[in-house]
């Protein structure tokens, strides 16, 4: 047993001996990351951290304590009991639920440096082939997660390669595309490569500002993620507001498919994860919950309670409801195969790739405001000019409501405050 | 370069660092107490203890970072050294003057150091304040109270000869009271901060009363009519404006979209406006006498009587890359992160104008006080003041709600035509966030300022 494993075992023993009701989350987080400037690594970092988050119910109240290895386990339990004296009234802690998941083996630390070099070289080759500049980060991440409680222990390991890249054109042409992906192997995203190649062809187009009362708009997955964020926030168990109703052709699920690298068999509170339909025929079907939000509404936890998110676990933060594998789909009559089909159907309109500043408002509002980070003007189904920096306001009640027209069958990975796969979508009614 | 065989420095040799390599170990311990009340009752109570090492190794190929919770930093140093094999773009660190000092015993003038007080006593005071808020008026539907105190101790050792210990304490309290009347909601807020002195919280009962009055009175106020206004901002809001706009653009790892701001000698505002970033003073949240690379803090003037200085806020990395001097701005929120250029105490210097004259000389405008939220994207800003009153013909007339102030950063600087003569030098609960490093304690000091022709929208 390794020293950190012994540490966890001692915490479990102390908590079991001293607390009538308890639950423990342990996390060992290994990562190696390279920052890329024009495809070349100009900064490298690595991390190895082990931490524990202990929740204890003492005299009917709940307290939480967190510590990094190797803080004395008895101190951690002392802190949790002290916190319980100051904490809220709570029911006894239960779980974890579900069955013990199969472990995924991950390569050892020594291979990360070689793989980072190879990954960076592939990125540099791609940018040369398409006349782009690629900046961003590539990171190998491994999470060893343990959820321990009165109903048993659940351990699982998840490993992935994360890439977050911004593609710019030659000679300061500005941002063309932004992409993120979580893959099992250190390789440039197969999902995004065709899109990056498409946008590379737009870099020689002139820059324009557009003014229109109403036009069709193709929303790329990252722009759609921004527009859908108020909807996602409204479906959270923590939301006090009513959920939005969208076009009846739209459906939103949190699917957690087996091949999704971020998939966790249990959430950080030990609740088994399972597919959940949030919107069906455009109407709210269910909310996603952490333990606390479920209890507040008299509902059952749904396996969405995470400290941060499965991609970025933050043990010091409280557990809140987070979507981990959201997927927006359209009814069959509203689907087209890929983004090229969607673009080709636009006689005169715009494509918005992503927004600047749209995620930072204090509270979710149905109108998402920001500036176009990257976009193109479309005429007769082809890009004719680039859009950059122009202010825009996207009203989800219109664009994902009566204005919605079609979405791609294919989806692309996206993630920021919530993660998943989004299609390209076409809607009428954008004003600029 | 020193490579000794003693104590912590032995780790450098054990990790395989060569004589020409640079090595750095920043070991940190941090204790945090966090208490939250939401709605009408307690929500959570959390004690945190975290400790770890953030290390850097510089070889001929460049400098790499690693973080670890392992008690022995040797493995982290080895990982950082291995990482340099991945680098394709060489980088170096600017030379620094070694510093040997133990600053952990330095008195900060706290009247009631929070870490010495019983947690239950503090929680009781806060619970009373929360209860007072939620029971203050039938229209009050709830209150959200966040309290956080932390104590951070750092030991920095480098192969250059630095051996430095220092400590920083921080305390924040944010209380937001919500009042509702059918479809309309309004808030009032208390925002307190200090360098770990609980004495700052003792004024809470009176402040809660004011926040409740603000929430209820704002509920009955009309929504602001969208348009262009002359806006007089109080000290806390003006300080936040300076921090978020010019302050962040001066961080040397940012690429300003306005070239004029990065170069010296451009007039972007009137002669009354001077803005600087500096180490601050003991007892303030933004007091940073030495940064997390061991560099002593200096004042950096960003705007001198309306003229850009082109000065940047540096770390050893950016200073090396831009052939600049060190400024004491290298900060990391904890051991998990390498230091990056961060703000400390941003100050808008006192000007010549009295507040009464600023308001009296405004025909149609807004008096905007406090900071409820906002954002910037390096070109524009959007701020939500905590409270707002209409100014008509030189007098404050009535409250308005839902005002959002927006503008271009450069145009905003040019719009400042009055700078007050009495700076506010307090602290709020507002902390700084950048690339996932939050909450970083900062101070933002300013007198009231007036901006002409600011766009205001409702909601």
């Amino acid at each position: 047993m390794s020293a950190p494993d012994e540490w966890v075992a001692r915490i479990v023993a102390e908590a079991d001996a001293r607390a009538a009701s308890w639950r423990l989350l342990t996390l060992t987080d290994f990562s190696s990351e390279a920052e890329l400037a024009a495809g070349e690594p100009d900064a490298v970092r690595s991390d190895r951290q082990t931490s524990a988050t202990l929740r204890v119910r003492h005299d009917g109240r709940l307290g939480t304590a967190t510590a990094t290895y190797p803080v004395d386990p008895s101190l951690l339990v002392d802190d949790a009991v002290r916190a319980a004296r100051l904490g809220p009234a709570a029911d006894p802690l239960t779980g974890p639920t579900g069955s013990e998941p199969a472990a995924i083996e991950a390569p050892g630390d020594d291979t990360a440096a070689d793989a980072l070099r190879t990954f960076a070289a592939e990125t540099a080759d791609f940018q040369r082939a398409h006349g782009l500049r690629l900046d961003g980060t590539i990171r190998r991440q491994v999470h060893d997660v343990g959820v321990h409680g009165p109903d048993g222990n659940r351990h699982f390991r998840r490993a992935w390669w994360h890439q977050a890249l911004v593609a710019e054109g030659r000679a300061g042409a500005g941002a063309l595309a932004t992409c993120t992906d979580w893959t099992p192997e250190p390789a440039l995203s197969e999902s995004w490569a065709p899109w990056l190649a498409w946008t590379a062809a737009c870099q020689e187009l002139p820059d324009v500002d557009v003014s229109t009362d109403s036009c069709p708009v193709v929303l790329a997955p990252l722009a759609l993620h921004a527009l859908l964020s108020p909807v996602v926030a409204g479906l959270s168990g923590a939301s006090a507001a009513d959920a939005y109703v969208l076009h009846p052709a739209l459906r939103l699920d949190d699917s957690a498919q087996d091949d999704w690298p971020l998939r966790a068999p249990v959430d950080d509170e030990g609740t088994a994860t399972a597919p959940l339909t949030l919107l069906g025929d455009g109407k709210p079907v269910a909310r996603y919950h952490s333990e606390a939000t479920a209890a507040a509404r008299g509902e059952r936890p749904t396996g969405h309670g995470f400290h941060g998110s499965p991609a970025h676990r933050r043990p010091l933060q409280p557990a809140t409801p987070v979507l981990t594998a959201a997927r927006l789909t359209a009814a069959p009559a509203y689907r087209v195969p890929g983004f090229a089909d969607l673009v080709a159907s636009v006689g005169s309109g715009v494509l918005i790739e992503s927004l600047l500043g749209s995620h930072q408002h204090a509270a979710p509002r149905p109108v998402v405001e920001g500036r176009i980070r990257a976009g193109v003007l479309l005429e007769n189904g082809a890009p004719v000019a680039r859009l950059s920096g122009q202010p825009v306001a996207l009203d989800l009640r219109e664009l994902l409501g009566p204005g919605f027209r079609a979405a791609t069958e294919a989806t692309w990975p996206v993630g920021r405050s919530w993660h998943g796969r989004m299609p390209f979508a076409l809607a009428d009614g954008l004003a600029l | 370069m020193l490579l000794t065989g003693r104590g912590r420095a032995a780790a450098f040799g054990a990790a395989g660092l060569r004589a020409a390599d640079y090595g750095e170990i920043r070991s940190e311990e941090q204790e945090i107490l966090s208490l939250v009340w939401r709605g009408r009752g307690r929500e959570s109570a959390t004690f945190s203890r975290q400790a770890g090492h953030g290390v850097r190794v510089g070889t001929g190929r460049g400098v790499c970072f690693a973080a670890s919770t392992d008690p022995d930093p040797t493995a982290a140093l080895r990982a950082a050294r291995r990482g340099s094999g991945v680098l394709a773009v060489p980088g170096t660190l600017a030379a620094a003057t070694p510093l040997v000092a133990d600053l952990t015993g330095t008195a900060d003038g706290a009247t009631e150091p929070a870490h010495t007080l019983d947690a239950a006593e503090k929680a009781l005071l806060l619970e009373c304040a929360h209860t007072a808020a939620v029971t203050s008026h039938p229209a009050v539907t709830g209150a959200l109270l966040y309290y956080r105190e932390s104590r951070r101790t750092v030991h920095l050792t480098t192969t250059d000869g630095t051996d430095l210990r220092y400590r920083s304490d921080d305390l924040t309290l944010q209380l937001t009271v919500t009042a509702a009347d059918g479809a309309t909601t309004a808030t009032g807020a208390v925002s307190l901060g200090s360098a770990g002195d609980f004495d700052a919280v003792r004024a809470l009962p009176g402040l809660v009363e004011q926040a409740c009055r603000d929430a209820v009175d704002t509920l009955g106020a009309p929504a602001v009519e969208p348009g262009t206004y002359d806006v007089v901002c109080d000290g806390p809001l003006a300080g936040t404006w300076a921090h978020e706009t010019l302050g962040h653009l001066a961080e040397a790892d940012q690429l300003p979209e306005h070239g004029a701001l990065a170069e010296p000698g451009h007039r972007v505002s009137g002669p009354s406006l001077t803005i600087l970033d500096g180490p601050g003073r003991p007892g303030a949240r933004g007091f940073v006498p030495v940064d997390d690379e061991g560099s002593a803090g200096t004042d950096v003037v960003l705007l001198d009587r309306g003229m850009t200085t082109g000065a940047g806020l540096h770390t050893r990395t950016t200073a090396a890359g831009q052939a600049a001097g060190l400024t004491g701005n290298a900060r990391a929120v904890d051991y998990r992160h390498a230091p990056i250029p961060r703000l400390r105490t941003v100050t808008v210097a006192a000007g010549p104008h009295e507040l009464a004259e600023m308001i009296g000389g405004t025909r149609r405008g807004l008096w905007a006080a406090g900071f409820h939220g906002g954002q910037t994207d390096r070109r524009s800003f959007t701020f939500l003041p905590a409270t707002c009153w209409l100014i008509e013909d030189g007098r404050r007339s009535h409250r308005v709600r839902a005002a959002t102030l927006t503008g271009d950063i450069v145009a905003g600087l040019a719009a400042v035509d009055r700078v007050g003569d009495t700076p506010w030098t307090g602290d709020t609960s507002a902390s700084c966030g950048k690339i996932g490093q939050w909450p970083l304690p900062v101070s933002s000091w300013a007198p009231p300022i007036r901006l002409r022709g600011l766009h205001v929208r409702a909601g």
Side-chain angles (χ1 to χ4, degrees), chain A residues 127-133 167-176 196-207 376 383 385-386:
Chain A
Q127 73 167 13
R128 271 192 292 274
H130 295 281
L132 289 171
R133 176 190 167 105
E168 292 190 0
R170 287 183 292 268
L176 294 172
L196 289 176
W198 190 91
T199 61
C202 296
Q203 63 181 294
E204 303 295 344
L205 298 175
D207 281 332
V376 291
R386 293 178 56 236

Side-chain angles (χ1 to χ4, degrees), chain A residues 4 34 37 40-51 61-71 75-76 79-80 82-89 109-110 112-114 116-117 314 316 318 356-362 365 369 371 388-389, chain B residues 32-33 35 37 42-52 63-71 76 79-80 82-89 119-120 123 127 257 334-338 372-380 382 384 436 457-459:
Chain A
E40 304 283 353
D42 70 346
V44 172
R45 62 169 290 152
S46 66
D47 293 278
R48 184 190 176 102
Q49 307 185 46
T50 299
S51 62
R61 295 196 171 273
L62 187 65
T64 306
T66 73
T68 50
Y69 167 80
V71 167
L75 269 183
L76 176 63
D79 284 346
R82 275 198 306 148
R85 295 195 180 107
L86 310 176
D109 291 347
D110 287 345
D114 294 335
L116 280 175
R117 256 196 302 273
R314 303 274 187 259
L316 291 185
L356 270 175
S358 62
H359 288 268
Q360 302 177 51
H361 286 283
R365 297 163 61 233
E369 295 177 87
R371 290 188 289 129
S388 177
Chain B
I32 302 169
L33 167 63
L35 301 170
W37 284 259
R42 298 182 195 181
E43 178 176 89
S44 66
T46 306
F47 284 103
S48 298
R49 294 177 194 268
Q50 49 176 337
V63 182
C64 294
F65 176 82
S68 173
T69 51
D70 287 338
R82 268 202 309 275
S84 66
V86 179
L87 289 171
V89 179
E127 177 125 321
E257 294 194 25
D334 59 39
Y335 70 89
R336 296 176 179 88
H337 304 278
H372 185 57
Q375 66 185 40
T376 60
D377 60 7
R378 297 186 298 153
R379 268 178 60 170
S380 59
T382 301
L384 287 72
R457 60 177 170 80

